[in-house]
Amino acid sequence: MGFDHFALAYDRRGDAETGSLLVHNYPDAWASVFIGFDLSANDPIRRAGERSLTGFQWCDVDQFIPLSRGDRQLLMVARENGIGDGFTVPRHLPGEATGSCTFVVNPKGSVPTDMLHSAEILGAVALARARQLVGTLPYRKRAVLTKRQRECVLWSARGKTAGETAGILGISTETVVRHLKIARDRYAVHSGQLLILCALFDGLIGFSDIYDWWRPHERAP
């Protein structure tokens, strides 16, 4: 397709029994640096992939996430080790897995834009196959919250205190505190942050339930 290198990565999360797959033909110099220093945790391309529904070119990554000085330095080091621009097809399943199929050109090369549709399809097929190879976790019955418990978790995720939530729902503060404690117990977690994270991963509340409510709407002049 006109690319020089590829990398297929898939990591299954969400349980003690994790699984991963990595296949690539990156230059040895970059593979040694990336794997040896465990740079995946700081990889801006990985973070951008969690915010994109489709494949994207690396030159456009700052349209998905803010790039820090360290991010730019990592991309520069990659270039110094034989990795130029790239095109990444991401897959992100919150609470289950994250993966990507990436096609890369050498530092002096140009991404073949006329082949990006083909790369998108190939990447999607490769990631689906990677998921089959790594396997999916067996379904586990999740903690079930009552409607009122879910509402308390939702307003907590929106930044409201127990007292503020009580006023919104028309119940006592003690009742809100009790609902949140029961919810934490059902998830076997000890903090409100982890409770919110579990509720998001299980789909009991959605990211849009929080962000769309919090985001200030532009007012008409």
Side-chain angles (χ1 to χ4, degrees):
M1 294 189 296
F3 294 96
D4 299 300
H5 305 287
F6 78 94
L8 173 63
Y10 188 86
D11 289 298
R12 186 185 65 203
R13 308 287 177 83
D15 194 85
E17 183 186 351
T18 59
S20 63
L21 180 148
L22 175 62
V23 183
H24 69 86
N25 70 340
Y26 278 175
D28 291 339
W30 175 238
S32 298
V33 170
F34 192 85
I35 297 174
F37 288 92
D38 192 21
L39 298 180
S40 61
N42 300 314
D43 186 2
I45 305 303
R46 176 190 60 80
R47 300 202 316 273
E50 295 180 0
R51 296 185 57 82
S52 177
L53 291 174
T54 59
F56 59 91
Q57 286 187 239
W58 292 3
C59 60
D60 298 325
V61 70
D62 59 354
Q63 297 180 16
F64 298 93
I65 60 170
L67 288 175
S68 67
R69 181 178 179 181
D71 293 334
R72 297 184 188 280
Q73 184 176 11
L74 189 150
L75 294 174
M76 182 181 68
V77 172
R79 194 171 188 85
E80 292 171 350
N81 286 276
I83 299 295
D85 197 5
F87 180 77
T88 292
V89 180
R91 289 295 183 271
H92 180 59
L93 298 173
E96 179 185 332
T98 182
S100 64
C101 187
T102 296
F103 305 91
V104 179
V105 294
N106 291 323
K108 294 183 179 180
S110 299
V111 170
T113 55
D114 59 326
M115 296 301 295
L116 295 187
H117 289 300
S118 297
E120 181 90 41
I121 295 171
L122 180 59
V125 172
L127 284 162
R129 182 55 177 160
R131 188 171 187 239
Q132 291 177 340
L133 291 172
V134 173
T136 57
L137 294 172
Y139 174 77
R140 293 188 309 167
K141 188 175 181 179
R142 304 290 187 177
V144 177
L145 304 184
T146 66
K147 177 182 177 182
R148 188 62 89 188
Q149 289 162 1
R150 177 193 173 278
E151 289 174 336
C152 290
V153 174
L154 174 59
W155 284 107
S156 178
R158 289 172 171 174
K160 297 299 183 180
T161 65
E164 291 170 331
T165 299
I168 293 169
L169 299 179
I171 56 181
S172 70
T173 300
E174 291 75 15
T175 300
V176 172
V177 171
R178 185 172 67 253
H179 281 320
L180 291 174
K181 182 182 183 305
I182 293 173
R184 290 196 303 272
D185 290 344
R186 289 185 178 177
Y187 272 108
V189 297
H190 302 289
S191 70
Q193 293 93 332
L194 281 175
L195 173 61
I196 293 167
L197 188 62
C198 289
L200 283 167
F201 278 162
D202 276 359
L204 289 174
I205 60 176
F207 289 95
S208 61
D209 293 331
I210 303 168
Y211 184 73
D212 289 349
W213 175 87
W214 167 82
R215 182 178 58 189
H217 295 283
E218 296 183 1
R219 294 182 179 179

